[in-house]
Amino acid sequence: MKVLNIGSMNLDYVYQLDHIVQPGETESSSELNVHLGGKGMNQTVALAKAGVEVYHGGMIGEDGNAFLECCKEFGINADYIKQVNTKTGHAIIQIDKNAQNCILLYGGANQQLTAEYVDETLAAFGAEDVLLLQNEINMLPYIVDKAYEKGMQIALNPSPFNEKLDAVDMSKISIFLLNEVEGGQITGLTDPEEIIAKLLEMFPHAKIVLTLGKDGAIYADSTQRHFQPIFKVQAVDTTAAGDTFTGYFLAGVCENMPIPDALKMSAKASSIAVSRPGAVPSIPFRAEVEEALK
Ligand code: RIB
């Protein structure tokens, strides 16, 4: 089984501030760091660090070579990353003194995918393989349709949630990994229990993982249901916490790990990620996660 993630790659410009800038306000930042990120690449790195054979697809500009180097460093197959004549996507991230963040995205190359590129990429994958997607690239409805036709299992992190997802045929998704805000946006509900029930009613064959921030995470499918609390840590930067959870959880599923174990491993990995700055650089290796679970 191979895991293909067609996903975003962003250069994250991370600004440290006392509080997140309000409309009309000018604030000085005490620190600026540039890290590799993007929900796509963060989740790919989490999968790779968890030990999965992962292929990353997507687009970068000529200023995006660092992503190719990152793939090399972590053993990620980068054959399907294409370099195009535009800027690599980037994110402007403000982090306040309580480690809360706020993100402004510029899609750049992440929005340049074509049907031809998708067909070429999916040609190397089949029914035994898993496709992971988020909502920071274009062509999502087409990718879902084509991958489903091939019989691939599709995992979707519908993040960030916006109207572009309306065109995606969600009945073709096997695994949803989402937070309670996104779950609320899909179902129109606010209570996590009601969100889970509604998602299972809408997608009875799907596996659902609903993360609830400091309140933990719930897994549910038509036959089982589990709850995982968070591991409390001193948060430094919550960027990529959800991506780390997603990558690690999918790694557990690919290994046929019992769901409670996969949830626990993901929560621990995510807790380590929030205790460190940056997106990609904050994601722990499997050995570190296992050591911390002892
Ligand atoms: O989920 C965190 C990511 O969201 C950041 O790395 C940033 O690039 C944005 O895509």
Side-chain angles (χ1 to χ4, degrees):
M1 178 208 280
K2 295 182 295 220
V3 177
L4 168 67
N5 182 4
I6 305 184
S8 58
M9 288 164 275
N10 292 331
L11 293 165
D12 287 353
Y13 292 83
V14 186
Y15 298 85
Q16 221 67 47
L17 296 140
D18 174 73
H19 62 272
I20 285 162
V21 182
Q22 302 298 304
E25 193 182 35
T26 302
E27 265 296 311
S28 290
S29 163
S30 56
E31 205 179 318
L32 164 64
N33 290 292
V34 185
H35 299 293
L36 298 190
K39 292 185 197 306
M41 185 48 77
N42 297 341
Q43 293 176 22
T44 283
V45 169
L47 278 157
K49 286 188 169 181
V52 172
E53 180 188 354
V54 55
Y55 295 70
H56 192 88
M59 302 227 174
I60 48 176
E62 276 151 19
D63 54 347
N65 285 337
F67 287 97
L68 301 175
E69 284 153 27
C70 165
C71 288
K72 205 184 271 176
E73 183 181 351
F74 299 127
I76 296 160
N77 184 308
D79 292 353
Y80 304 101
I81 296 180
K82 196 169 166 188
Q83 250 171 328
V84 289
N85 189 18
T86 188
K87 282 205 174 305
T88 298
H90 74 251
I92 292 177
I93 305 181
Q94 298 178 41
I95 304 203
D96 74 10
K97 59 176 188 284
N98 299 315
Q100 284 310 307
N101 68 25
C102 135
I103 303 181
L104 167 70
L105 277 182
Y106 173 71
N110 295 314
Q111 298 296 322
Q112 299 296 315
L113 276 64
T114 60
E116 194 187 8
Y117 163 79
V118 173
D119 292 344
E120 275 170 21
T121 301
L122 290 180
F125 298 86
E128 63 290 351
D129 300 324
V130 174
L131 175 68
L132 173 62
L133 298 167
Q134 313 75 28
N135 188 29
E136 285 187 344
I137 54 166
N138 65 320
M139 298 297 293
L140 214 53
Y142 184 80
I143 299 171
V144 167
D145 290 347
K146 291 290 163 182
Y148 186 80
E149 268 171 30
K150 294 173 88 69
M152 291 180 82
Q153 214 188 130
I154 307 172
L156 175 68
N157 168 226
S159 181
F161 191 92
N162 58 37
E163 70 295 338
K164 288 187 186 167
L165 288 167
D166 292 349
V168 173
D169 183 350
M170 300 263 188
S171 70
K172 295 177 176 169
I173 306 300
S174 313
I175 310 179
F176 288 92
L177 302 118
L178 69 181
N179 64 31
E180 59 187 318
V181 175
E182 292 144 5
Q185 285 162 317
I186 292 182
T187 59
L189 301 166
T190 49
D191 177 63
E193 296 300 330
E194 290 177 10
I195 291 172
I196 287 273
K198 185 71 185 171
L199 287 172
L200 283 176
E201 185 190 315
M202 293 164 79
F203 312 110
H205 305 296
K207 298 174 166 69
I208 315 277
V209 182
L210 186 71
T211 56
L212 309 170
K214 63 177 178 17
D215 294 326
I218 301 171
Y219 171 92
D221 63 27
S222 58
T223 62
Q224 54 179 324
R225 180 197 169 84
H226 304 279
F227 170 71
Q228 173 65 48
I230 60 158
F231 290 95
K232 286 204 179 110
V233 288
Q234 182 63 49
V236 169
D237 178 354
T238 56
T239 315
D243 298 331
T244 304
F245 193 102
T246 294
Y248 263 84
F249 184 80
L250 198 57
V253 169
C254 292
E255 285 178 26
N256 288 320
M257 203 182 252
I259 297 293
D261 294 351
L263 284 173
K264 197 170 181 187
M265 173 173 79
S266 313
K268 180 54 87 176
S270 178
S271 74
I272 296 173
V274 303
S275 68
R276 307 203 277 232
V280 161
S282 72
I283 301 167
F285 279 99
R286 177 79 168 257
E288 186 181 0
V289 176
E290 283 176 356
E291 185 58 33
L293 279 170
K294 278 184 189 160

